[in-house]
Amino acid sequence: MGLFYYGSLILFGIGIGLLVMGVIFLIIRQETKKALYSLLIGLILVIAGILLPNLRPSAEGVRLIEVESKEILHGNEGFKCQIIDEYAQITLEYQSDNKEDAERICALYEQGKQYEISYKYLNGIYFIHDEF
């Protein structure tokens, strides 16, 4: 899973511990200042632990998607095949200099079917690995 994932779990655990400590201190009315600080810091750590895995997606992986639409586009980088899964909110791309390679990749995936696609995340774009 990765060091990043385990780090977020540790942040989440420490944050929950500080929240519990703050609530207990408030209930027994002992050291109110420490209780408020621990509640504030615990809340910040819990929010960071929840948001951290979502802010940085993994660089490589395999994803199960259902192909809802696909298209071949021509741009400055050459030709690219875009495969879109609206339910998973992901757009995968394959870029190539010639049109035949982009058409070959798009022809491998049929609309309405599910596929496990290996991808690489780079500069905010999910690229399909050329393993064929």
Side-chain angles (χ1 to χ4, degrees), residues 2 11 14 16 19 22 29 31 34-35 40 45 49 54 58 60 64 69 74 78 81-82 89 92 107 109 112 121 131:
L11 276 178
I14 292 171
I16 293 291
L19 285 174
R29 297 174 193 219
E31 300 186 29
K34 282 185 181 177
L40 180 66
L45 290 178
N54 296 331
S58 61
E60 293 185 31
L64 179 68
S69 65
H74 179 60
C81 169
Q82 276 191 342
Q89 297 178 349
L92 295 146
Y109 306 106
Y121 184 78
E131 298 177 349

Side-chain angles (χ1 to χ4, degrees), residues 8 11-12 42-55:
S8 67
L11 276 178
F12 188 72
L43 186 62
I44 291 171
L45 290 178
V46 166
I47 291 171
I50 291 171
L51 294 179
L52 205 56
N54 296 331
L55 295 177

Side-chain angles (χ1 to χ4, degrees), residues 1 6 10-11 13 15-17 19-20 24 29 33 43 50 53 60 75-76 83 85 99 103 109 114 116 118 125 127:
M1 285 190 204
Y6 291 125
I10 290 170
L11 276 178
I16 293 291
L19 285 174
V20 169
I24 289 174
R29 297 174 193 219
K33 190 174 183 180
L43 186 62
I50 291 171
E60 293 185 31
N76 294 340
I83 297 172
D85 183 0
K99 189 175 182 178
E103 288 176 344
Y109 306 106
Q114 289 187 346
E116 276 193 1
S118 60
I125 301 172
F127 291 101

Side-chain angles (χ1 to χ4, degrees), residues 61-90:
V62 177
R63 184 113 189 213
L64 179 68
I65 68 162
E66 182 174 341
V67 178
E68 293 185 14
S69 65
K70 61 181 182 174
E71 59 186 346
I72 297 176
L73 303 171
H74 179 60
N76 294 340
E77 301 90 20
F79 293 93
K80 63 182 172 181
C81 169
Q82 276 191 342
I83 297 172
I84 301 170
D85 183 0
E86 292 177 7
Y87 180 75
Q89 297 178 349
I90 187 170

Side-chain angles (χ1 to χ4, degrees), residues 101-115:
D101 286 344
E103 288 176 344
R104 178 178 56 90
I105 295 296
C106 271
L108 293 173
Y109 306 106
E110 296 179 30
Q111 289 183 346
K113 291 192 176 182
Q114 289 187 346
Y115 297 96

